Amino acid sequence: MRICSVRSTLFARRFAYRAFHYRSAVHNQAFFCAVFSMPIIFAGYMAYQQKLFLKLRDHDAQIAEHVSQAYDTMYKKNYVETDAPRYFHDIRHISRVTYYVKVLYHLYRANDFTREIFSEDDLRLLQIAAIFHDAGRQADGKDYWDKESATLFYQHCVNHLHVDSARAQMFAEAILNKDFQPDPSRLSPVEKSYWKMKRFGDVIKWDCIADYPGEKTLAQRILHDADCIDIQRIGGLSFCKEYLDIDHFGSEQTESLVAEVKQLIEIQGDPFELTVFNDGTCYRQTKELIENNRDKFPLLYGAHRDDYCVAPKYSTLRF
């Protein structure tokens, strides 16, 4: 009986000893795996952070790519119905208007002309709206195709960019209502009609609201000013800064902005019917032109910089 007890005790001790060392070996293996895998994990983390950093800083590169795609699919071609070539509403006009959007947003914010705040995604969508604002045109001259342009933008956002439909609708309505102007005291033509989008599944319709009592949104003002200020590309027309919505707020920078835009248009050749800058790289070339001549374009260069007025992560817009 005593012998059995001793054997049982020895067996239990031996089992406990082996179990302890086995557990220690497992722990050691896990420890060494963790230690040696840390550089790999850290390298992966740094690569992710670099990718995220580049994504956050790559706003203009993304817009340049959107402009390039728009040129290949829309603005490179003649007008469909008339087969007339695009001239006044070509990719040069589109690229400049898209560039002005960011400048104007920063000016509105920096001068405290608005309480509406765009996130970086909102600002990017507004620039894409600028790219599409003439997409539905079938001829130069008066724009009778704003609804088509706004619809094309909405469909692109929802079907290809997977933007929330309410958010896409707000910016689509900004395209159609950018010229909404109920104030008869302004130099701009009075336009009291306001358009609202109605969605019926995949079918989009536009309802006109006569004598709309509301105010223009910031997105509508920016698109209006960006498109309006570039009318200086059409020779023989006199341009007044009072046409711009931002001038209505008493901006002291409007005259400088108008003068710089006029100089930019002349360099890009619009009044002289040249074809320079007229390809898919136009937005990138326009941005580089301004950056390389920042002494000539201090406002266009400075107000386009992200540090001029930092876009917050979240917006105050409601959809």
Side-chain angles (χ1 to χ4, degrees):
M1 190 74 177
R2 182 183 177 88
I3 295 174
C4 291
S5 177
V6 171
R7 287 180 177 177
S8 298
T9 303
L10 291 174
F11 177 80
R13 288 180 179 178
R14 187 176 299 170
F15 178 82
Y17 177 82
R18 289 180 177 178
F20 174 79
H21 280 277
Y22 175 78
R23 183 182 178 188
S24 299
V26 172
H27 283 185
N28 289 339
Q29 186 177 8
F31 173 77
F32 282 109
C33 286
V35 169
F36 286 109
S37 64
M38 281 301 293
I40 301 174
I41 296 173
F42 181 75
Y45 174 77
M46 292 303 294
Y48 169 77
Q49 288 295 321
Q50 184 179 16
K51 183 177 180 181
L52 181 62
F53 179 73
L54 291 175
K55 180 180 179 182
L56 291 175
R57 290 180 57 87
D58 217 19
H59 180 118
D60 283 311
Q62 292 179 23
I63 295 301
E65 181 61 26
H66 278 290
V67 172
S68 178
Q69 292 176 4
Y71 174 75
D72 290 335
T73 57
M74 296 181 291
Y75 295 104
K76 184 179 181 179
K77 305 172 183 178
N78 292 351
Y79 291 118
V80 176
E81 293 183 2
T82 61
D83 197 36
R86 286 180 175 269
Y87 178 64
F88 290 119
H89 302 90
D90 61 0
I91 200 65
R92 289 175 296 183
H93 169 61
I94 297 301
S95 297
R96 287 193 300 266
V97 170
T98 304
Y99 185 94
Y100 303 153
V101 163
K102 193 173 180 181
V103 172
L104 285 161
Y105 172 68
H106 286 164
L107 291 178
Y108 270 97
R109 283 288 317 284
N111 290 284
D112 200 25
F113 293 152
T114 179
R115 293 185 178 180
E116 293 182 70
I117 298 176
F118 291 172
S119 67
E120 187 172 353
D121 286 341
D122 295 330
L123 186 56
R124 185 182 293 109
L125 275 179
L126 187 56
Q127 287 186 283
I128 296 173
I131 295 172
F132 274 80
H133 85 277
D134 279 332
R137 268 187 173 272
Q138 294 303 325
D140 285 329
K142 183 175 174 60
D143 193 352
Y144 298 100
W145 302 274
D146 275 336
K147 289 191 285 293
E148 287 78 4
S149 298
T151 301
L152 286 171
F153 165 77
Y154 175 83
Q155 292 172 338
H156 177 74
C157 285
V158 173
N159 297 332
H160 298 286
L161 303 182
H162 307 293
V163 176
D164 176 74
S165 58
R167 183 186 295 263
Q169 177 177 335
M170 191 204 78
F171 288 104
E173 290 177 355
I175 294 176
L176 193 51
N177 293 305
K178 67 182 187 302
D179 296 324
F180 172 67
Q181 182 53 267
D183 187 356
S185 65
R186 300 286 303 280
L187 286 181
S188 301
V190 174
E191 178 56 68
K192 294 186 177 182
S193 298
Y194 194 91
W195 297 88
K196 296 289 291 184
M197 177 189 287
K198 298 292 184 182
R199 305 193 304 267
F200 304 93
D202 294 334
V203 179
I204 296 175
K205 294 185 178 181
W206 294 92
D207 285 350
C208 181
I209 304 175
D211 296 323
Y212 181 71
E215 293 288 331
K216 291 180 75 169
T217 66
L218 177 60
Q220 292 163 7
R221 294 185 188 279
I222 290 175
L223 280 183
H224 169 269
D225 288 355
D227 189 28
C228 180
I229 199 171
D230 206 59
I231 202 173
Q232 296 180 91
R233 70 192 184 282
I234 302 176
L237 293 180
S238 59
F239 184 83
C240 298
K241 65 184 182 66
E242 288 79 11
Y243 290 147
L244 303 176
D245 285 339
I246 195 170
D247 188 72
H248 181 64
F249 292 94
S251 174
E252 298 178 355
Q253 298 165 303
T254 309
E255 288 187 6
S256 299
L257 183 62
V258 171
E260 289 184 21
V261 166
K262 182 179 181 181
Q263 189 174 13
L264 175 63
I265 291 170
E266 290 176 350
I267 292 176
Q268 291 195 307
D270 291 51
F272 310 105
E273 301 189 13
L274 302 178
T275 57
V276 293
F277 298 94
N278 202 4
D279 58 34
T281 64
C282 186
Y283 181 85
R284 178 178 57 80
Q285 291 186 68
T286 300
K287 185 172 181 289
E288 290 177 354
L289 173 64
I290 294 171
E291 290 175 348
N292 295 335
N293 296 275
R294 62 191 67 176
D295 56 326
K296 295 181 180 179
F297 307 108
L299 190 57
L300 283 175
Y301 169 74
H304 192 268
R305 289 173 55 89
D306 291 328
D307 56 5
Y308 190 87
C309 184
V310 178
K313 184 177 180 181
Y314 302 104
S315 70
T316 61
L317 303 182
R318 296 293 179 266
F319 308 105

